[in-house]
Amino acid sequence: MDLEELESLRKQAKERIEKINNEREWIDTKAYYLGKKGIIPSLLSKLPKLTQEEKKIYGQSVNTLKVFIEELLEQQLKTIKEREIEKKLSQTTIDITLPGKFEIRSGTVHPISQVIDEIIDIFTGMGFEVAEGPELESDYYNFEALNIPEEHPAREMQDTFYISDGFLLRTHTSPVQIRVMEKREPPLHVICPGKVYRRDSDITHSPMFHQVEGFVVDRDIHFGHLKGVLTEFLRRLYGENIGVRFRPSYFPFTEPSAEVDIQCVVCNGKGCRVCKNSGWLEVLGCGMIHPYLFSVVGYDKEIYSGFAFGLGVERLTMLKYAIDDIRLFYENNLSFLEQF
Amino acid sequence: MKVLFNWLKDFIDIEENPSKIAENLTMVGLEIEQVIFTKELFKNIVIGKIVKVEKHPSSDKLKVCDVSIGSEILKIVCGAPNVEEGKNAVLALPGAELQGNKIEKVNIRGVESNGMLCSEKDLGLAIYSEGIILSNENLKLGKPVYQELYRDLDDVLLEINITPNRGDCLSHLGIAREISAITGKKLKKILSKPPKLFQQAKDFEIIIEDPKLCSRYTGKLVRNIEIKPSPNFIKVRLSLCGMRPINNIVDITNYVMLGYGQPLHAFDYDLITDKTIIVRRARNDEKTITLDGKERILNDRDLVIADPEKIIALAGVMGGANSEVNSNTKNILIESAYFDPPTIRKTAKKLNLGSEASYRFERGVDIGNVPIACEIAGQMMEEFANGQAICGVYDNYPLPYEDRIIKFRPNRCNGYLGTKLTLDEMEKRLVSLQFEVTKKRFEWDVKTPTFRNDISIEEDIFEEIARMGFYQEITTQLPNIPMKSREDISERKFERILLDALVDFGGNEIITYSFVREKELEKIRYDLTNKENFVYIQNPLSDDKTLMRPTLIASHLIVAEANHLRMNYDFIFFERGKCYFKLNDNGNEYKERKVIGLVFSGLLRSKEWYGQEEKIDFFSVKGFLEKLCERICKKKTTVQKIEQGSLPFLHPIESAYILLEDKKIGFFGRIHPDVLEKWDFKRELFVAEIDYNLLRKVFEKKENIYYSISKFPWVDRDITIIIDDKVSYDEVMKVLLKNSGNLVKQIKLVDLYKGEKLGENKKSLTFKLLYQHKDRTLSDDEVNEENSRIAKLLIEHFKAEFPK
């Protein structure tokens, strides 16, 4: 009799529990079955009146029912919770395409600085160190010590700003070469980035611009090393396949001297307006350090030799970004700066 | 330097085409900038026959001509006085370009003109023409002018960038010599035999006072010349090379200069007093009038050509008006000389009188060629000016050229260049360049030719050998480079951290000129009383007084203003630049101070869909700088009030010095209202400047020592006090920090309130204090007790109150 009642209770409980919709109902239901005065305890309270045999069977059955109800309740609670979350989620909506609002301004580095940094990275990567020198320079370091005496026609190549008798705004970064060599002994592998000044102003000339000077002094340095280092540099800057050409030129502080051309980056050497149809673009000047400079700093030219080079950062930058007016660099228009 | 291909062929046979020659010249160091096929410049200019001339219906001076170009007859309006029926003329058709002017079909007073009849001036072949070109020759109508009348116009022009050391290449002969060295073809003989040289002349005398300034002076007399236009080939060649044809005598001197590299001067022999030429230094303040009609004041560093009475030329620079060749000139004295290059350069530069002649003298002409050029000019004057040249050349040569012999070690040459050239190859290259080589076992004697005054040391010879191989046989190789120093790495590290921080905080880097105009400093009320500390530029680009900037502020306001004009209003600009100062009156000691300059404008945050806009104000600038220093140096900054008037461009209240480790490292603030008035800003502006090296010093001292992190929970408590408004946050904070004890980990101001409720001159400050023990969990009682201790202490110290 009692066992049948248990079976119908089981069915009833299953039906009832599965209908539960919220936590409130669930708590009530749990109390109804499992609470102190609930159905299961009341069933168990009948146990003492039964025989040993009956006790065993009945007790077991009630217990099974209890476990069944407990599991069912657990299961249903999970379901309710899931339903609730689902419901909540279905109620909230956002437009994920709205602009984000993580509030950080992000600035930019001036294109000239970027290229200088890139050049420095390449050379320091090869083992060069960085040196700096004054922009307010003496005639001696800027010209005399570099084998450009007072009446040398090469002075015309560099129209100079003067600040006093014998002092000027350096016209190139080459004086740093002398300053470093004066202070130190070879081996030297140095680059010197910095601002330089010439009295010139148009769309390709700025009265202030940037150069990176570099030089190496050691035993047994030869022209082939110069070609090696600069070819490597240009390949790292413009890519593995860039064509590089060295051709003879003249600087008072190098002998032999060379100018270095790269294959035109605009037309790939086919000839265009930028390269004046030559297929080549001049990017830097270089040469073996003139023995006169060694005599100035007291190096023995029979022991040491070296090479030096100088490159114009603005020109490289203009080529890199196809900028056609040098003045843009110094106007500092926000719309320009933000492009880099 | 412009050279003509056909003119080069007067000196050497050339088999290669012009572009090959151009490429090879570039590769030996004579950079070809342009190759121009000159007939392209004379397109659509043809021979026409004037078949009919009529009066222009509405002009007395103009004529209307029928001009036949063979295939058709064109109506041309012409104003030339000499237009004549039946003659051949040069007709520029629409599409032609004459000296930069495009020819088009035009309507001239009601008559359509289909082109223009040309004068020599129109073609650039004369500086003055009385009328159009007319010819009776039998010419093919309609043919281009460069095929019929002026065949020399069909040439190839090479524009060569000659480096300052290669004075020897400033002539067709010089370029031909280089081509000869490249191709191996011998140069043609210039003269069938060398001129006879005389040490004394019958008809004139030359005295050289200072042989150091003029080591050779030759002269040649040509009598009974006839001044007239030069033959066409001379006119055309000079014109294509950029010189204006004037008359046969002047043209011949120029022709010889462009051909042989030797500048010449032609004096009117009859205007030379006593037929005596004196090469001497000018006297101080001596005056003369040059060919261009200008009076020149000289000094004893200038070299002049004079006769016993007067200066007749500035040596090597410009002739004098008083001895100029003119239409009445009958007899010519040709001057061909070698002048001291620095002396010529000084005079030309001082008088701002650069000329083709001085350009060559400055770079050194070929002293061996001086009499030859003189002789050639004389011969040409016989031929083209019907003159009678007096036989030979008078040669005053007080300081003869000394052969230059350079020791050359072939082994060292290969070692220096990184090549493996054979001895024979080296010798061959040197000989092709006209060096004389005496071979010895390890060391050769190399004698330089007279025209190569740029060669003076062994390394110069290395270059000669290398360039003849186009630098191509030098193999590329990387040298061994040892590791670099630590010092260098630290500097780079600071650079990077600084730049990253500035950009991460929203700064856009700018680069501005290092110079500033004095009036721009005035515009920021900069203190200009200590001018002796400023670095003025003696020769600025503009007339304005310009100096190397003592501050970045002016430059940055210029950039801000320009951006406002372009409607860029919201920005934080920064620059890593230098300020410049003079340290003493002698102007031989200077200081360059590197600073970080900043300018803030407009909005910190613009209006967004989720929030309101926020303007940049004093505290956002302060916050920017605090966070910058904290990020770079891991240290807190403090501020200090700026003394009245010491930075006059800053707002008197909204400005401050910024300090790190109690040392001023810079300043910041709003722009002073008086400064704003002088500019055209559209938004509020703040500026800042921080000393680069002071910041770097603190950065380098930075010690980051790890402290152990407590595992126990923290709790926070607020303290609110009402306090006199004059008491600064900083003062309260100092007391708090001093007395807060070990348990307080952090103190933060979370509220500031002023209002009527509190009463006048009062404010309420709320601080949030964070408590944490490193070894245990704090109890509520313990924290409450500590918090009220601190609160009471504040109340007592500042005579403050708790809120009611």
Side-chain angles (χ1 to χ4, degrees), chain B residues 153-403:
Chain B
L153 287 174
D154 184 6
D155 207 329
V156 181
L157 184 76
L158 306 179
E159 276 195 39
I160 313 181
N161 180 11
I162 307 282
T163 53
N165 58 324
R166 294 303 303 273
D168 64 301
C169 286
L170 294 170
S171 66
H172 285 76
L173 171 63
I175 303 300
R177 278 192 296 243
E178 291 283 305
I179 294 172
S180 158
I182 297 166
T183 62
K185 278 260 165 13
K186 285 258 172 327
L187 288 169
K188 294 179 185 170
K189 240 186 175 168
I190 294 171
L191 289 170
S192 51
K193 56 177 192 231
K196 274 188 191 150
L197 302 179
F198 299 99
Q199 265 62 54
Q200 282 198 319
K202 210 166 67 193
D203 306 299
F204 59 92
E205 190 183 359
I206 291 165
I207 300 162
I208 298 172
E209 283 192 356
D210 191 343
K212 277 196 191 118
L213 301 190
C214 173
S215 49
R216 190 170 202 180
Y217 195 108
T218 64
K220 188 175 175 79
L221 184 60
V222 186
R223 290 191 184 277
N224 299 320
I225 53 97
E226 184 192 336
I227 303 275
K228 58 180 182 182
S230 297
N232 283 353
F233 83 95
I234 292 182
K235 283 194 281 203
V236 169
R237 284 181 170 183
L238 288 182
S239 168
L240 290 176
C241 289
M243 295 198 87
R244 291 188 145 189
I246 294 166
N247 60 43
N248 53 352
I249 299 301
V250 175
D251 292 353
I252 285 167
T253 61
N254 284 333
Y255 190 84
V256 171
M257 174 173 72
L258 296 186
Y260 303 87
Q262 173 65 45
L264 303 175
H265 190 69
F267 293 106
D268 184 329
Y269 175 73
D270 300 305
L271 297 176
I272 301 169
T273 307
D274 293 346
K275 312 303 166 214
T276 301
I277 280 183
I278 306 160
V279 185
R280 60 165 171 89
R281 288 169 188 270
R283 287 178 272 277
N284 284 328
D285 296 325
E286 195 173 355
K287 287 173 191 155
T288 188
I289 293 169
T290 41
L291 270 178
D292 53 8
K294 285 187 184 145
E295 187 181 73
R296 310 284 176 175
I297 301 166
L298 309 174
N299 64 35
D300 67 359
R301 293 173 71 191
D302 300 313
L303 187 68
V304 298
I305 313 299
D307 65 21
E309 278 180 350
K310 60 192 181 287
I311 292 175
I312 55 174
L314 291 177
V317 178
M318 195 177 253
N322 53 18
S323 60
E324 192 182 351
V325 172
N326 57 66
S327 52
N328 299 321
T329 299
K330 282 278 159 283
N331 304 306
I332 294 286
L333 181 62
I334 304 166
E335 165 200 285
S336 176
Y338 182 93
F339 299 119
D340 174 53
T343 304
I344 302 303
R345 187 180 135 82
K346 262 182 241 163
T347 300
K349 201 178 168 198
K350 182 184 74 182
L351 302 176
N352 202 8
L353 258 183
S355 63
E356 291 280 344
S358 68
Y359 192 78
R360 286 169 174 77
F361 281 122
E362 283 170 22
R363 282 153 177 79
V365 298
D366 178 6
I367 200 163
N369 190 40
V370 167
I372 296 166
C374 201
E375 174 65 20
I376 291 168
Q379 289 185 6
M380 285 181 76
M381 285 182 196
E382 283 196 303
E383 192 176 347
F384 303 114
N386 306 330
Q388 293 132 25
I390 306 305
C391 174
V393 171
Y394 170 80
D395 183 19
N396 191 342
Y397 198 180
L399 209 64
Y401 173 81
E402 280 175 33
D403 284 340

Side-chain angles (χ1 to χ4, degrees), chain A residues 108 121 135 162 197 257 333, chain B residues 471 496 508 514 566 580 592:
Chain A
T108 51
D121 282 349
E135 293 167 31
Y162 284 92
Y197 304 86
S257 305
N333 185 328
Chain B
Y471 283 180
R496 290 263 146 105
N508 293 103
S514 307
R566 301 275 189 95
Y580 306 83
E592 298 174 18

